[in-house]
Amino acid sequence: MEELLKNYQSVAEEHAIHWIKVGQTNDFPANAGACVKYKSKQVAVYHFTRTNSWYACQNLCPHKMEMVLSRGMTGDSQGIPKVACPLHKKTFSLENGSNLNGEEYSIATYPVRIQEGNVYIGFAD
């Protein structure tokens, strides 16, 4: 299972080589997550309507090794957008993937662009 984690590496917007259309904005729930697939990756996509911000991260929980983060609760911690794993409630920053509980494991994040009502995620592979 640990091999799965090697598939997920954060991508900064300036390092995105491919921008993949994953749907239209109205395909995604407000203030919640949805899962999309790119190659062998499952990616969770979130739309925070209050700030009209979009985020994408790996769907794989690095602690429980289950594809569940798209079903996690969203919110913020001191202004940092976050997702809580539905299995153990550990929280991760959707900006940089850091573990907001102070633990070592983190998640990969990906840049999101909205163009003409379409949602694109940036990948480096």
Side-chain angles (χ1 to χ4, degrees):
M1 256 338 220
E2 302 275 334
E3 282 294 312
L4 281 176
L5 282 176
K6 294 180 182 179
N7 290 328
Y8 298 97
Q9 300 294 319
S10 288
V11 176
E13 186 164 1
E14 61 271 14
H15 295 121
I17 298 170
H18 301 100
W19 288 90
I20 306 302
K21 179 181 171 184
V22 295
Q24 297 181 322
T25 55
N26 58 5
D27 293 332
F28 296 89
N31 303 308
C35 183
V36 299
K37 190 166 183 181
Y38 171 70
K39 296 185 178 180
S40 63
K41 295 176 177 62
Q42 286 191 31
V43 178
V45 181
Y46 307 93
H47 179 207
F48 283 50
T49 57
R50 186 171 48 91
T51 58
N52 197 28
S53 301
W54 289 80
Y55 302 96
C57 68
Q58 70 188 49
N59 194 36
L60 179 66
C61 170
H63 177 243
K64 293 292 186 179
M65 301 302 290
E66 297 287 342
M67 298 290 186
V68 295
L69 292 182
S70 63
R71 294 183 279 158
M73 291 177 37
T74 58
D76 74 78
S77 175
Q78 299 176 348
I80 299 170
K82 68 176 184 174
V83 62
C85 176
L87 298 179
H88 59 73
K89 307 299 184 247
K90 302 294 184 188
T91 57
F92 301 94
S93 165
L94 291 172
E95 292 180 333
N96 63 21
S98 63
N99 185 311
L100 298 175
N101 302 101
E103 297 173 28
E104 288 185 28
Y105 46 86
S106 60
I107 60 172
T109 58
Y110 304 94
V112 179
R113 287 184 181 167
I114 307 301
Q115 294 177 334
E116 299 177 6
N118 295 308
V119 181
Y120 296 85
I121 299 176
F123 295 97
D125 60 346

